[in-house]
Amino acid sequence: MPPREPPLAEYALRYAAEGVSSRLLTRKPLFLTVFVTARCGLSCGHCFYRDELLSGSHKHELSLDEYDRMTRRLPRFPKLIITGGEPFLREDLCEIAEKFYENQSQARQITIPTAGAHTERIVDLVERLLEPRPDLILELQLSIDGVGEKHDAIRGKGSFEKLMRTHDALRPIQDRNSGLRIRFNYTFGRMTQDHFAETHRFVSETLGNPHFDMVLVRRKTIEDQYWGEVDVEKYRAAAALLQEMERKKAGDDTLKRMLAQRVRVEREIIAEHSQGRAKMTGCLAGTLTAIISETGEVRPCEVLDQSFGNLRGVDFDFEALWHGHTAQEFRHWVKETGCFCTFETCVRTTMSFQPRWYASMAKGFVQDLAAGPPGGKVG
């Protein structure tokens, strides 16, 4: 039996339609990021959530019952990220994800980042969550910061071996069920910028996995050697590798080759913003993207220390905070002041609803066509 195919085209149309509706009418988020814990077994120097990790305790985390109450009152939205800390430290993580799928929130595209240390728990969640839900797209993002000892130098001794064990356990599931996607995610910073190409080659060629992404290290961390300006030209070179991978995945599909240009445009915006130069205005953080912390704080994005209030204080009425005075003031500030955002989710979501970036993508697409066909289809 061939692997079942989730309705990707249907979800893309839903995302576009609800995005337009949100901007014009409903003002609800499209993209929700939920931190379910601040606990983590690692202590990576580049982690932007470091302060929370040092003070995090399961005693303050939202309970499963509170997630049930929350998801019964949340508006419907297309995309969800469940993160942490290490989300798989929560023994009820599968049940939390089920609440977001089953209740009013109706999440149908769920992404869970992980360092990959808890293989059995990860596989159990994937099988329990994905198999009975043929319309669910589940992405496991495996954090990778190098190959072998280079990864362990940041994540801790033995981390790479555990990561590969998890990948190897998930691969057969992905082979039989296309609702699962294994994506590797790379933190690009001063400590990792010189071995991006090697890691990219390992994932794409040795592992044969065409799904690779990166995030730019952000916000001052405790360990100074991880912080500071990266070499922007090295970042652009890494972005070029990612775009070439997208071109290969697109093959001869004209629309997909056009959409592959998103990688180049998005990363150029981030590169410019990282140097303090305005590139994109009208950020939609706090309009189309929302963050909920492990203690129930509602925030517009991961970069700014801005809270709209705590869900526990309003009986989990998300919309009361989302449409409240503090949220309105924040959106006014964004509109009037601007923000040099390097948060990939906000940049990606914002550019999706600003027509001028499609013109930039079209220009790159024409240049891409002139350069000839990609080196070969992958994935």
Side-chain angles (χ1 to χ4, degrees):
M1 179 182 296
R4 58 94 170 171
E5 294 286 344
L8 293 172
E10 176 186 325
Y11 290 161
L13 288 173
R14 175 187 169 188
Y15 184 80
E18 292 196 18
V20 172
S21 174
S22 177
R23 294 207 65 188
L24 297 177
L25 299 171
T26 62
R27 300 293 181 185
K28 71 172 184 177
L30 285 179
F31 206 126
L32 182 65
T33 300
V34 178
F35 288 76
V36 293
T37 183
R39 293 174 286 148
C40 185
L42 305 178
S43 185
C44 306
H46 60 231
C47 182
F48 75 91
Y49 217 55
R50 194 72 177 274
D51 290 343
E52 290 82 354
L53 294 181
L54 293 176
S55 60
S57 169
H58 71 278
K59 296 179 182 178
H60 305 299
E61 295 170 359
L62 296 174
S63 67
L64 181 60
D65 178 66
E66 288 177 311
Y67 279 110
D68 183 56
R69 291 162 62 191
M70 177 201 304
T71 53
R72 290 182 184 279
R73 303 197 70 175
L74 279 172
R76 291 178 71 243
F77 59 91
K79 293 189 177 183
L80 169 70
I81 294 181
I82 301 177
T83 187
E86 171 52 64
F88 283 95
L89 285 178
R90 287 207 56 149
E91 295 183 0
D92 57 357
L93 183 62
C94 185
E95 288 77 10
I96 291 173
E98 287 174 340
K99 298 296 184 186
F100 279 99
Y101 176 94
E102 302 288 352
N103 289 345
Q104 181 171 282
S105 49
Q106 295 285 297
R108 292 295 181 266
Q109 298 180 66
I110 300 177
T111 296
I112 307 177
T114 176
H118 305 278
T119 303
E120 291 76 15
R121 193 173 289 180
I122 293 169
V123 170
D124 178 67
L125 176 141
V126 169
E127 291 179 338
R128 289 172 56 199
L129 191 61
L130 191 62
E131 297 293 346
R133 298 174 176 87
D135 60 341
L136 175 63
I137 299 173
L138 178 63
E139 179 173 280
L140 266 292
Q141 283 190 355
L142 304 181
S143 299
I144 189 169
D145 295 312
V147 180
E149 293 180 355
K150 293 174 182 175
H151 178 86
D152 285 359
I154 294 174
R155 300 273 171 173
K157 187 175 181 179
S159 295
F160 186 77
E161 181 182 353
K162 293 175 182 177
L163 180 69
M164 289 300 99
R165 183 165 65 242
T166 295
H167 168 266
D168 293 345
L170 290 174
R171 191 62 182 262
I173 303 175
Q174 181 180 252
D175 289 344
R176 69 173 184 265
N177 191 332
S178 60
L180 174 64
R181 173 170 292 178
I182 306 168
R183 182 182 297 276
F184 284 88
N185 202 27
Y186 190 90
T187 303
F188 194 96
R190 288 172 64 184
M191 297 287 285
T192 61
Q193 63 185 0
D194 290 325
H195 46 269
F196 178 90
E198 175 192 17
T199 310
H200 180 271
R201 186 165 54 251
F202 171 78
V203 170
S204 61
E205 297 179 9
T206 304
L207 298 182
N209 190 318
H211 307 302
F212 197 94
D213 207 348
M214 67 176 175
V215 295
L216 182 64
V217 67
R218 58 182 182 269
R219 210 163 99 176
K220 190 173 182 354
T221 57
I222 290 174
E223 298 181 26
D224 291 340
Q225 68 267 32
Y226 288 90
W227 181 249
E229 290 187 6
V230 301
D231 186 321
V232 176
E233 292 312 310
K234 291 180 180 178
Y235 179 81
R236 288 187 170 109
L241 285 176
L242 294 180
Q243 183 178 344
E244 180 62 18
M245 176 177 277
E246 293 302 312
R247 290 180 70 229
K248 289 180 179 179
K249 284 194 288 185
D252 296 328
D253 189 306
T254 301
L255 178 59
K256 289 182 178 179
R257 288 185 70 177
M258 170 69 175
L259 293 176
Q261 293 294 321
R262 175 193 58 77
V263 175
R264 176 187 58 81
V265 175
E266 173 191 324
R267 302 301 174 172
E268 184 56 28
I269 292 170
I270 292 172
E272 291 292 296
H273 285 186
S274 72
Q275 296 180 296
R277 294 196 289 264
K279 184 75 172 179
M280 183 181 73
T281 57
C283 181
L284 295 177
T287 300
L288 294 186
T289 66
I291 312 293
I292 298 177
S293 79
E294 70 282 353
T295 60
E297 294 292 323
V298 175
R299 305 181 185 278
C301 78
E302 294 179 2
V303 176
L304 300 174
D305 291 323
Q306 169 72 57
S307 172
F308 294 168
N310 194 290
L311 288 168
R312 284 169 164 158
V314 293
D315 192 27
F316 293 89
D317 186 353
F318 175 87
E319 296 196 79
L321 297 179
W322 197 248
H323 299 296
H325 180 68
T326 301
Q328 299 294 350
E329 282 191 332
F330 172 80
R331 295 181 191 113
H332 178 75
W333 175 83
V334 169
K335 182 178 180 180
E336 296 298 320
T337 308
C339 179
F340 296 163
C341 183
T342 60
F343 178 27
E344 288 78 8
T345 296
C346 287
V347 171
R348 189 173 303 161
T349 304
T350 299
M351 63 174 283
S352 296
F353 295 94
Q354 291 185 342
R356 67 190 180 109
W357 300 115
Y358 288 95
S360 182
M361 290 168 59
K363 180 179 178 181
F365 173 66
V366 172
Q367 294 171 343
D368 179 34
L369 289 179
K377 187 176 181 179
V378 297

